[in-house]
Structures are given as C-alpha cells and as structure tokens.
Amino acid sequence: MAAPSSDVERQRDKDRTRADILAVATSEFADKGYTGARVDEIAARTSTTKRMIYYYFGGKEQLYVAVLEQAYSAIRTLEQQLDVEHLEPEDAIRQLAELTFDHHEAHPDFIRLVSIENIHRAEHIARSEVLSGLANPALDVLTRILDRGRAAGRFRADADALDIHMVISSFCVFRLANRHTFNAIFGRDLLDPQRRAHQRHMLGDLVLDYLTNTPT
C-alpha cells in the first residue's frame, strides 16, 4: 500500500531540511574549519534550529562527519558512473584524470575540507564506516583500466592503481589548495581560465607518460 500523501510530504520536508543543513554546514566547515565552525551559525543560515540539527545529526562532530561523507561520496559516485569500458585504455585514463580535474575545480569546498581533515590527522574520517568503505570504489574503475592496458601490453607491468590515484589527486588538489600562495610567489593564477585547457591536458599527459614508459 502506498504511503499517504501527507507522510510522503513529511518525508520530503525532512529530506529537504537535511539537505539544506548539509549544504550550509559544508560551507561553514570549509570556511572556518571544524574548530571554528558554529552550529548556531549553521542554524541561523538555515530554516531550522540548533535543536533540530542535533535531532537530525546528533551533534557537531556527527554533522561534520556527515559533511565529509557527502563530499567524498560525490566524487566516488562520479568515478563509478564513468563509462570508459568501450574506450582504449589511454583514453580511459585521460577521461578519469579529467573528471577529477573538473570535479575538484567545481568543488573548492571539498579541497578545503580535505585539508582541514588532514590537520586533524583524519580522526573523523577514521570513525566513519561510510568513508572507510569508499577505498575500493575509489580504485575500482582505475584498476580495471590499468588491467586492460597491461593485458594489451601498452601499460607498464608495475603500474599501481593507488600510485596513479595519488598522482591525479595531487595535481588537482595542489591546483586549488595552493592557488593563492602560488600566485603570491610566482605571479601565476593556477585557475586562470586561459591556462585551464593546457593544465587539464597536461595532467593526462603526465599520467600516460608514466604508464607507457618501460621501467628502468
């Protein structure tokens, strides 16, 4: 039996409220860090109350973990949805690298949250069952691409999926996290739109140059 329309609408209201809280909390934690963020401020910026936030999430730490879970799950979902099985391994690697490039540029709050959680030595991520379960999805698509490339004799035999993931992430995170200091020291804005296409293509070139070189 279908749920009464009033029950469905109540659930929709709950979902909207929770999503609104998470969106504002993401901005608050990204801007002020875990320590500096205030639940009172998050409540003031949403159509809810501090008491309601605690009802939905349990407390400030649980809300912060929920923000991290949503942020990490979003990029993992995009990676899993990437349709690269019909592509040549080289093209598939480039698409995966470019997806990460595009995602990180479009979600600067994600980069700030990662930086903040590293300051806290990943103590909150370590407590999340959701985040601990995202390790394999992060590598599944990449591992399949590397396996196809090795089977075809086009990728080096010692290519490690976690190494490649690290290289791609390092480039994309550095570009956002160090934008201001890099510009102050070198006088170049890493997010200059005129250099975007060059950087995006360069990332794919870097990864493929490594994968297609014979180990020495």
Side-chain angles (χ1 to χ4, degrees):
M1 179 182 293
S5 59
S6 58
D7 291 344
V8 173
E9 190 55 40
R10 276 195 293 270
Q11 184 59 49
R12 287 175 180 164
D13 288 341
K14 289 180 181 179
D15 292 342
R16 282 194 291 265
T17 299
R18 193 175 189 279
D20 188 30
I21 293 170
L22 280 173
V24 172
T26 296
S27 174
E28 181 76 4
F29 284 121
D31 286 344
K32 301 177 182 175
Y34 175 71
T35 304
R38 296 287 180 267
V39 177
D40 286 330
E41 179 64 21
I42 295 170
R45 293 172 57 191
T46 58
S47 55
T48 185
T49 63
K50 183 176 180 179
R51 181 179 178 182
M52 186 62 70
I53 291 174
Y54 284 164
Y55 170 78
Y56 278 110
F57 297 96
K60 178 181 177 180
E61 181 176 6
Q62 293 94 322
L63 175 58
Y64 175 65
V65 170
V67 165
L68 290 173
E69 289 173 346
Q70 178 175 262
Y72 274 95
S73 296
I75 179 62
R76 297 292 87 89
T77 298
L78 287 175
E79 290 165 348
Q80 289 293 99
Q81 292 175 346
L82 189 63
D83 181 16
V84 294
E85 298 301 324
H86 64 291
L87 297 177
E88 295 296 323
E90 294 87 348
D91 294 332
I93 282 289
R94 192 177 289 279
Q95 279 211 13
L96 181 60
E98 291 174 349
L99 178 143
T100 305
F101 184 97
D102 294 342
H103 171 272
H104 286 15
E105 182 181 78
H107 298 85
D109 282 352
F110 174 70
I111 306 303
R112 288 193 285 269
L113 288 169
V114 172
S115 300
I116 290 163
E117 184 58 6
N118 272 287
I119 291 172
H120 292 279
R121 302 186 181 185
E123 62 179 274
H124 303 97
I125 284 181
R127 297 173 189 165
S128 169
E129 293 183 4
V130 171
L131 292 170
S132 64
L134 290 178
N136 288 335
L139 299 177
D140 282 347
V141 174
L142 181 52
T143 297
R144 292 198 302 271
I145 297 171
L146 293 180
D147 286 344
R148 289 198 289 121
R150 282 191 291 257
R154 287 146 70 173
F155 287 171
R156 56 193 296 160
D158 65 343
D160 177 78
L162 196 54
D163 283 345
I164 303 304
H165 176 73
M166 178 182 66
V167 170
I168 294 172
S169 295
S170 297
F171 186 100
C172 297
V173 169
F174 185 97
R175 184 169 172 264
L176 272 294
N178 296 279
R179 175 189 185 184
H180 301 294
T181 52
F182 199 90
N183 193 25
I185 294 169
F186 298 107
R188 174 176 291 179
D189 182 1
L190 292 174
L191 267 64
D192 181 351
Q194 293 185 351
R195 301 189 65 84
R196 184 181 189 276
H198 163 74
Q199 293 172 343
R200 193 170 183 262
H201 193 81
M202 180 172 67
L203 172 59
D205 288 346
L206 290 169
V207 177
L208 286 173
D209 282 351
Y210 169 75
L211 286 174
T212 55
N213 276 332
T214 304
T216 56

